[in-house]
């Protein structure tokens, strides 16, 4: 097959990832420096003052990187233009047309320059929204901490850890004109790659028009959307000539037929296709019908099942995102350790770091096994979080070992979020849990009456309620961290639990899969073979037994089905 140009925005993304890390660090330092102010009016005053200083900090951070980012974007566009023209020159030369040098050809140079300026403007506009968005997020986070502590639902240290996790999972965000939000690195990657891709196609189009070529051959890739798969590997007419005909075994489409210029069509949202000049009688089709047919055939084995190349790439991307998510959790927790103004907060932040490190190593092991089974190369850049340096990595390895991370066999894989306790310890916990009248595995604390209030929650027909403190990846049995597998064993061994009964977990975040992939509820559903309902956010239980999910009741009780 003919050479294809695939642009890489890695260097640009690295700059913005570093910017994002610096912004998160600035936010955490400001939050911890404020501490907890019990008086509401004074709290609001200090928050607004700190938010103003934070805004100035972020504007300066963005300004410090502007020149370096601009240079990297220009270099990427220059490379895209040179590579695209180089590919097309060979096609045009074979047809007797003169090759061009994009650095000297004014026609294609104008196209390249226009695409570069448009993309750079869009990117700058997006990134500039980060300062205001982060300032708003800072105020909301501070208010959330204040509400959680003043209500007695959480201690100050618990509220700080909730905030650190939320900041790590959300990151620095940009806001589109439509009000849609994205992480900064995601938005920049999409903006730059879309801009480069569309500009490269425009350069090819201008060169073909200047050479008098009216046909373009469209590239093909696995995993194309059904409406794109119809025309990938086929021809498109720039003038309308020969539309509907078959030339050299390829169908000729119109520009409107492939949706050129629309968001859902060729070169629209997330479209990876490109095109190159095609001369009937001189050019040779880049793909045979057999090759096009094989693009979406499942041929890669993972855990005994066959997947297409595209499916495997998406599975790898998902696992890489989870690795990055846990690295960000480690980075924010470490910043919490470094910036803590009192010993209690420092100790709590260190515990959060140790916990995150354990799950990070688990996810890294799963990714390593995935690549081994599928034959994929590890893309270390996609796992990278720039604030996660060698020092942090060494601390994470040490914390994971200290936490008791154990191997699950010769490949070093453990079950998702498994944290094995000694056998005798597990037996003691199961015995204590079985002796309790109700499956409420928490006690009231001076600052948290959850255990008392949850007893008043009305039962739900067909469900077995279990109440305890939790997170997406673990729960607490009277303050003792345990994993979802032990929780499933506890439920299984209780005499009042009837096998096959659905479970309702009244436990914070045990149904939250946003940054972790699986969660406590999913694992319990798998282990017991029943449906499990659990909250996707913090659960606020009131004295009358009513409850809300999330700070503004924005969460939900989500239902999980058992997987084989």
């Amino acid at each position: 097959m003919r050479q294809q140009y695939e642009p890489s925005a890695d260097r640009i993304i690295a700059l913005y990832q570093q910017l994002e890390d610096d912004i998160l660090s600035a936010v955490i330092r400001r939050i911890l420096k404020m501490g907890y102010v019990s008086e509401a009016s004074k709290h609001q005053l200090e928050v607004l003052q700190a938010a103003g200083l934070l805004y100035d900090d972020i504007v300066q951070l963005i300004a410090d990187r502007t020149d370096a980012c601009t240079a990297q974007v220009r270099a990427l566009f220059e490379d895209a233009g040179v590579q695209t023209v180089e590919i097309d020159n060979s096609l045009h030369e074979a047809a007797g047309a003169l090759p061009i040098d994009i650095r000297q050809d004014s026609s294609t140079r104008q196209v390249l320059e226009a695409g570069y300026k448009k993309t750079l403007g869009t990117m700058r506009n997006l990134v500039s929204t980060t300062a205001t968005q982060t300032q708003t997020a800072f105020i909301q986070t501070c208010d959330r901490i204040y509400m959680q502590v003043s209500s007695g639902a959480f201690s100050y240290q618990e509220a700080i850890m909730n905030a650190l996790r939320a900041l790590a999972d959300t990151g620095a965000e940009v806001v589109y004109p439509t009000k849609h939000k994205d992480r900064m690195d995601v938005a920049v990657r999409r903006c730059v790659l879309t801009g480069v891709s569309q500009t490269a196609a425009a350069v090819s189009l201008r060169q073909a028009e200047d050479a008098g070529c009216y046909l373009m051959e469209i590239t093909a890739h696995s995993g194309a959307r059904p409406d794109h798969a119809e025309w990938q590997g086929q021809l498109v007419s720039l003038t309308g000539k020969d539309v509907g005909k078959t030339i050299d075994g390829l169908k000729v489409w119109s520009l409107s037929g492939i949706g050129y210029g629309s968001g859902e069509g060729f070169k629209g949202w997330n479209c990876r296709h490109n095109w190159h000049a095609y001369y009937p009688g001189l050019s040779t089709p880049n793909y045979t019908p057999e090759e096009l047919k094989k693009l979406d055939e499942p041929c890669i084995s993972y855990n005994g099942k066959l997947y297409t190349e595209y499916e495997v790439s998406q599975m790898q991307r998902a696992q890489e995102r989870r690795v990055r998510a846990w690295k960000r959790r480690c980075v924010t927790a470490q910043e919490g350790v470094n910036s803590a103004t009192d010993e209690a907060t420092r100790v709590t932040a260190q515990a959060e770091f140790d916990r995150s490190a354990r799950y990070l190593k688990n996810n890294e092991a799963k990714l390593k096994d995935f690549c081994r089974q599928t034959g994929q190369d590890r893309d270390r850049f996609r796992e990278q979080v720039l604030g996660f340096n060698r020092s942090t990595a060494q601390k994470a390895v040490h914390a994971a070992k200290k936490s008791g991370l154990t191997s699950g066999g010769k490949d070093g894989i453990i079950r998702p979020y498994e944290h094995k306790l000694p056998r005798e310890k597990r037996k003691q916990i199961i015995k204590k849990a079985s002796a309790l009248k109700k499956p409420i595995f928490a006690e009231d604390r001076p600052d948290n009456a959850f255990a008392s209030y949850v007893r008043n929650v009305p039962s739900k027909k067909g469900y077995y309620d279990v109440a305890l403190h939790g997170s997406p990846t673990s729960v607490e049995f009277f303050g003792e961290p345990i994993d979802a597998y032990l929780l499933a064993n506890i439920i299984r061994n209780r005499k009042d639990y009837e096998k096959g009964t659905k479970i309702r977990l009244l436990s914070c975040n045990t149904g939250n899969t946003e940054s972790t992939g699986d969660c406590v509820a999913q694992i319990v559903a798998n282990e017991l073979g029943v449906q499990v309902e659990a909250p996707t956010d913090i659960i606020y239980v009131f004295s009358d037994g009513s409850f809300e999910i999330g700070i503004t009741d924005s969460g939900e009780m989500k239902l999980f089905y058992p997987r084989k």
Side-chain angles (χ1 to χ4, degrees):
M1 293 185 187
R2 186 187 305 128
Q3 173 192 6
Q4 302 294 335
Y5 173 67
E6 290 285 345
S8 172
D10 288 354
R11 291 185 179 181
I12 298 168
I13 302 307
L15 289 170
Y16 280 99
Q17 284 179 337
Q18 184 63 65
L19 173 59
E20 181 180 37
D21 292 342
D22 290 346
I23 289 172
L24 286 177
S25 294
V27 172
I28 293 167
R29 284 194 297 270
R30 291 283 178 194
I31 289 174
L32 292 177
K33 187 176 181 181
M34 280 181 53
Y36 174 65
V37 181
S38 59
E39 187 180 334
S41 58
K42 189 176 179 182
H43 163 80
Q44 289 298 331
L45 180 61
E46 291 208 12
V47 168
L48 291 175
Q49 288 176 340
L53 294 171
L54 177 65
Y55 181 88
D56 293 339
D57 290 344
I58 296 171
V59 169
Q60 187 60 52
L61 286 171
I62 293 172
D64 290 344
R65 284 166 175 75
T66 297
D67 289 345
C69 293
T70 300
Q72 289 290 350
V73 173
R74 177 172 283 282
L76 183 60
F77 270 78
E78 292 281 357
D79 185 55
V82 169
Q83 294 289 338
T84 299
V85 167
E86 188 176 295
I87 294 171
D88 286 350
N89 270 345
S90 61
L91 303 173
H92 292 297
E93 281 187 276
L98 292 174
I100 67 168
D101 183 340
I102 195 169
R103 288 167 290 231
Q104 299 176 1
D105 184 78
S106 61
S107 180
T108 50
R109 186 73 197 178
Q110 286 174 0
V111 173
L112 184 67
E113 199 67 27
Y116 159 70
K117 289 180 178 178
K118 178 183 176 183
T119 300
L120 188 64
T122 302
M123 189 177 74
R124 284 179 172 173
N125 289 339
L126 285 174
V127 173
S128 67
T129 66
T130 300
T132 302
Q133 181 61 23
T134 305
Q135 184 185 45
T136 301
F138 171 80
I139 295 171
Q140 292 174 342
T141 300
C142 290
D143 287 348
R144 188 177 298 118
I145 292 171
Y146 177 80
M147 176 180 164
Q148 290 177 355
V149 178
S150 61
S151 68
F154 293 91
S155 68
Y156 172 68
Q157 285 72 30
E158 288 174 325
I160 286 292
M161 287 310 104
N162 289 337
L164 291 184
R165 291 167 192 157
L167 287 169
D169 295 345
T170 305
E173 291 183 321
V174 301
V175 184
Y176 293 88
T178 59
K179 305 304 180 184
H180 173 73
K181 298 176 184 177
D182 259 332
R183 288 189 72 100
M184 181 190 291
D185 59 340
V186 172
V188 168
R189 180 188 293 275
R190 182 183 296 124
C191 174
V192 171
L193 291 183
T194 299
V196 169
S197 179
Q198 291 178 346
T199 302
V203 167
S204 284
L205 174 61
R206 177 63 62 86
Q207 189 175 1
E209 290 174 335
D210 291 347
C213 177
Y214 75 98
L215 289 176
M216 304 291 278
E217 183 185 14
I218 304 172
T219 60
H221 63 78
S222 64
R225 284 168 268 177
D227 53 338
H228 286 209
E230 291 180 338
W231 41 254
Q232 71 172 353
Q234 306 301 310
L235 300 177
V236 59
S237 173
L238 303 179
T239 63
K241 180 182 177 182
D242 294 331
V243 169
K245 293 184 178 179
T246 298
I247 297 176
D248 295 337
L250 306 178
K251 181 181 176 181
V252 180
W253 290 71
S254 66
L255 288 171
S256 61
I258 64 171
Y260 185 52
S262 67
E264 63 273 12
F266 175 75
K267 285 300 170 191
W269 307 305
N270 298 317
C271 178
R272 295 161 50 205
H273 291 102
N274 208 340
W275 58 11
H276 297 286
Y278 191 91
Y279 291 90
L282 294 173
S283 299
T284 302
N286 198 29
Y287 308 89
T288 66
E290 291 74 22
E291 287 172 333
L292 289 172
K293 187 177 180 181
K294 286 182 179 179
L295 282 176
D296 282 322
E297 283 186 0
C299 58
I300 302 175
S301 175
Y302 176 60
N303 284 347
K305 186 177 178 181
L306 290 177
Y307 297 90
T308 66
E309 182 181 338
Y310 177 76
E311 288 173 331
V312 166
S313 72
Q314 295 306 295
M315 292 162 70
Q316 185 173 351
R317 296 293 91 82
Q319 294 202 36
E320 289 162 349
R321 285 193 294 273
R322 284 195 280 274
V323 168
R324 288 202 307 276
W326 283 113
K327 282 185 177 179
R328 282 193 295 267
R329 287 271 187 111
C330 287
V331 169
T332 53
Q334 187 60 48
E335 184 63 48
V337 173
N338 297 340
S339 302
T341 56
D342 62 89
E343 183 61 16
T345 301
R346 191 198 67 76
V347 169
T348 304
Q350 184 62 56
E352 176 67 15
F353 179 88
D354 294 348
R355 171 182 168 277
S356 298
R358 186 169 71 248
Y359 295 133
L360 167 62
K361 292 304 165 187
N362 184 7
N363 277 276
E364 285 182 332
K366 289 173 67 178
L367 177 56
K368 181 179 179 181
D369 179 66
F370 174 85
C371 291
R372 180 187 63 79
Q373 287 194 48
T374 60
Q376 303 300 297
D377 293 328
R378 287 278 294 270
D379 189 340
R380 297 288 182 176
F381 183 84
R382 288 183 178 271
E383 300 172 38
Q384 181 176 321
V385 171
L386 293 186
F388 192 87
N389 53 31
R390 180 172 294 183
S391 173
T392 313
Q394 289 173 343
K395 290 176 182 176
V397 171
H398 176 71
K401 289 180 179 178
K402 185 175 68 174
S403 298
L405 182 68
T406 56
S407 170
K410 63 180 181 179
D411 298 319
I413 304 302
I414 64 175
R415 297 185 294 181
Y417 315 120
E418 183 179 35
H419 177 47
K420 284 188 176 180
L421 294 171
R423 181 181 178 84
E424 283 304 313
K425 182 68 173 177
R426 296 201 305 271
K427 289 173 65 176
Q428 289 173 8
I429 289 175
I430 292 172
K431 183 177 180 181
K432 180 178 178 180
S434 300
L436 295 172
K437 187 175 181 180
K438 285 189 173 184
I440 299 174
F441 308 130
E443 293 177 323
D444 283 345
R445 297 194 295 255
D447 59 351
N448 193 324
F450 168 78
S452 291
Y453 292 171
V454 80
R455 295 177 184 277
N456 300 325
V457 173
S459 60
K460 184 174 181 179
K461 186 176 180 180
Y463 282 83
Y464 181 81
D465 284 347
V466 179
L468 69 174
H469 295 297
S471 74
T473 55
S474 66
V475 289
E476 291 184 12
F477 182 81
F478 294 102
E480 174 85 24
I482 64 172
D483 60 29
Y485 305 96
L486 181 51
L487 176 60
N489 242 337
I490 288 172
I491 297 171
R492 188 184 288 119
N493 281 275
R494 281 188 59 87
K495 292 181 180 180
D496 60 347
Y497 177 69
E498 185 176 341
K499 184 178 179 180
T501 304
K502 292 182 284 189
I503 307 291
R504 182 170 66 162
L505 290 179
L506 300 172
S507 180
C508 293
N509 280 298
T510 46
N512 185 340
T513 61
E514 287 184 9
S515 63
T516 58
D518 278 328
C519 61
V520 168
Q522 183 63 68
I523 295 171
V524 171
N526 297 346
E527 291 294 300
L528 297 179
V530 299
Q531 295 174 28
V532 175
E533 188 178 84
T536 59
D537 205 332
I538 296 170
I539 181 169
Y540 294 93
V541 183
F542 303 104
S543 58
D544 63 355
S546 62
F547 61 84
E548 294 180 355
I549 311 298
I551 194 74
T552 57
D553 202 20
S554 56
E556 62 175 338
M557 292 295 289
K558 184 176 179 180
L559 191 60
F560 293 83
Y561 295 86
R563 300 173 185 162
K564 292 184 178 180

